[in-house]
């Protein structure tokens, strides 16, 4: 007998029929002799709908009341799922954040789980019961209801796996795992059986949004193995583990891309200490997310060029801030508003020489011009013209034997 956390996302509990289906999955796991703690999201679309309601009251809806409002979505699915399980003659019971309690710290809408009482729930499990817990929320030390950030049910599941010391943490969702690239656009994409936490983080921050990144980070910190799988098929999902548990036969695990990027180049910037800091400080203050930054080696020791990428939506704002910035001097500024970032990600890259060359050669064969390059230990990214995105992804997927 093992103890498991099964987390069901919004689409998995998006209708009564689906909730009944989830109840059957839980019953099967329970009948196999496992102790089940189920964590649920709100029904799909519910959280956004609640946010919209608050906007009808005020654009500056009170933070504390917002958390009371948003936490209700998960309360609904908890009760419906527990009811469905009781109908299947299981001893199921839901607990709300304050009943457990799940203690959080930090500000409203962005709190962190720091403690959970395990006693009541463990007792219930020992008596052959199934426990249902709402994701995404907790209660502060002062007794206020809190939420832990959009997509936070994943973080709740990981926290439960850690605190209850469960055997596994299974994330049930509407896709059947993590793919080597976007399967909707590139049909030859393959499901990855095992992926390391770092690779998963690189792939998800680049667009393969399967799990909340901060939940993956927490799992990595405590070495909690995860499994992402589909609620709607019985196929094996993707296991997310420590690198040591994976045999790398390929240098590259996945090809990711981001769209809606823009690139800005400052030409003839003074080459002296403090210039980069002065350039990016006001952008940071305006919460503009700067992604890739590249500075050329200065050829005359006096001036250099700085290139960086941002989201396209931030382009005008960024221009404005740069033009008003009295702390920096540059000769010229130019931009390209339709670029994308293509990245190859793989822990196997570390031990394979020539990956960089192979990527550049593949892109040149497709006559794709590289506008900027950045590398990290397990990732190699290039900026290219947006219209060549799928072309590049397809080619790299083939060249690195992922088809
Ligand atoms: N219901 C919350 C949201 O939509 C939490 C979650 O689904 O993980 O963000
Ligand atoms: Mg979710």
């Amino acid at each position: 007998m093992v103890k498991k956390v099964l987390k069901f996302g919004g689409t998995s509990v998006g209708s009564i029929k689906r909730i009944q289906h989830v109840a059957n999955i839980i019953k099967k796991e329970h009948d196999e002799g496992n102790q089940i703690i189920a964590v649920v999201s709100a029904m799909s679309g519910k959280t956004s709908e609640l946010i919209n309601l608050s906007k009808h009251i005020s654009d500056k809806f009170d933070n504390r009341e917002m958390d009371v409002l948003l936490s209700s979505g998960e309360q609904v699915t908890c009760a419906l799922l527990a009811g469905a399980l009781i109908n299947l003659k299981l001893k199921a019971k839901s607990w709300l954040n304050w009943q457990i309690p799940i203690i959080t710290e930090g500000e409203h809408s962005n709190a962190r789980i720091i403690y959970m009482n395990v006693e009541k729930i463990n007792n219930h499990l020992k008596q052959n019961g199934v426990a249902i817990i709402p994701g995404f929320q907790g209660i502060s030390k002062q007794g206020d209801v809190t939420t832990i950030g959009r997509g936070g049910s994943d973080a709740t599941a990981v926290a439960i796996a850690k605190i209850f010391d469960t055997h596994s943490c299974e994330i049930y969702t509407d896709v059947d795992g993590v793919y080597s690239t976007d399967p909707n656009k590139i049909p030859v994409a393959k499901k990855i059986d095992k992926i390391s936490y770092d690779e998963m983080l690189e792939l998800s921050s680049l667009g393969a949004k399967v799990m909340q990144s901060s939940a993956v980070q927490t799992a990595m910190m405590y070495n909690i193995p995860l499994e992402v799988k589909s609620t709607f098929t019985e196929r094996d999902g993707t296991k997310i583990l420590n690198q040591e548990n994976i045999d790398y036969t390929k240098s590259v695990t996945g090809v990711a891309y981001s769209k809606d990027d823009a690139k800005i180049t400052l030409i003839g910037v003074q080459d002296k200490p403090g210039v980069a800091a002065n350039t990016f400080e006001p952008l940071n203050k305006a919460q503009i997310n700067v992604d890739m930054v590249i500075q050329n080696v200065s050829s005359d020791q006096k001036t250099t060029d700085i290139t960086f990428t941002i989201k396209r939506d931030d382009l005008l704002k960024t221009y404005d801030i740069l033009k008003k910035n009295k702390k920096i001097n540059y000769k010229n500024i130019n931009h390209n508003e339709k670029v994308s970032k293509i990245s190859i990600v793989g822990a196997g890259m570390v031990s394979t020489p020539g990956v960089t060359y192979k990527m550049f050669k593949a892109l040149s064969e497709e006559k794709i011009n590289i506008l900027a390059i950045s590398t990290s230990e397990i990732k190699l990214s290039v900026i290219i013209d947006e219209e060549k995105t799928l072309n590049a992804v397809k080619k790299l997927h083939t060249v690195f034997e992922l088809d």
Side-chain angles (χ1 to χ4, degrees), residues 66-79:
M66 184 67 112
D67 280 353
V68 176
L69 177 68
L70 295 193
S71 65
S72 69
E74 274 74 10
Q75 175 165 350
V76 171
T77 35
C78 271

Side-chain angles (χ1 to χ4, degrees), residues 365-379:
E365 277 166 14
E366 292 295 300
K367 306 227 173 346
I368 295 170
N369 192 25
I370 300 171
L371 304 172
I373 302 163
S374 104
T375 63
S376 78
E377 201 174 353
I378 63 162
K379 183 178 76 172

Side-chain angles (χ1 to χ4, degrees), residues 7 9-10 41 151-154:
K7 181 256 168 179
S41 287
S153 297
D154 287 338

Side-chain angles (χ1 to χ4, degrees), residues 328-345:
I328 52 170
N329 290 308
Y330 49 85
K331 286 198 198 90
N332 212 340
I333 176 169
N334 69 31
H335 75 275
N336 184 338
E337 63 181 332
K338 283 206 172 142
V339 299
S340 63
K341 179 168 80 171
I342 316 289
S343 306
I344 54 173
V345 174

Side-chain angles (χ1 to χ4, degrees), residues 197-207 256 345 376 378-379:
Y197 300 110
D198 336 37
E199 289 172 308
M200 175 74 183
L201 286 167
E202 292 289 10
L203 286 172
S204 72
S205 66
L206 295 166
V345 174
S376 78
I378 63 162
K379 183 178 76 172

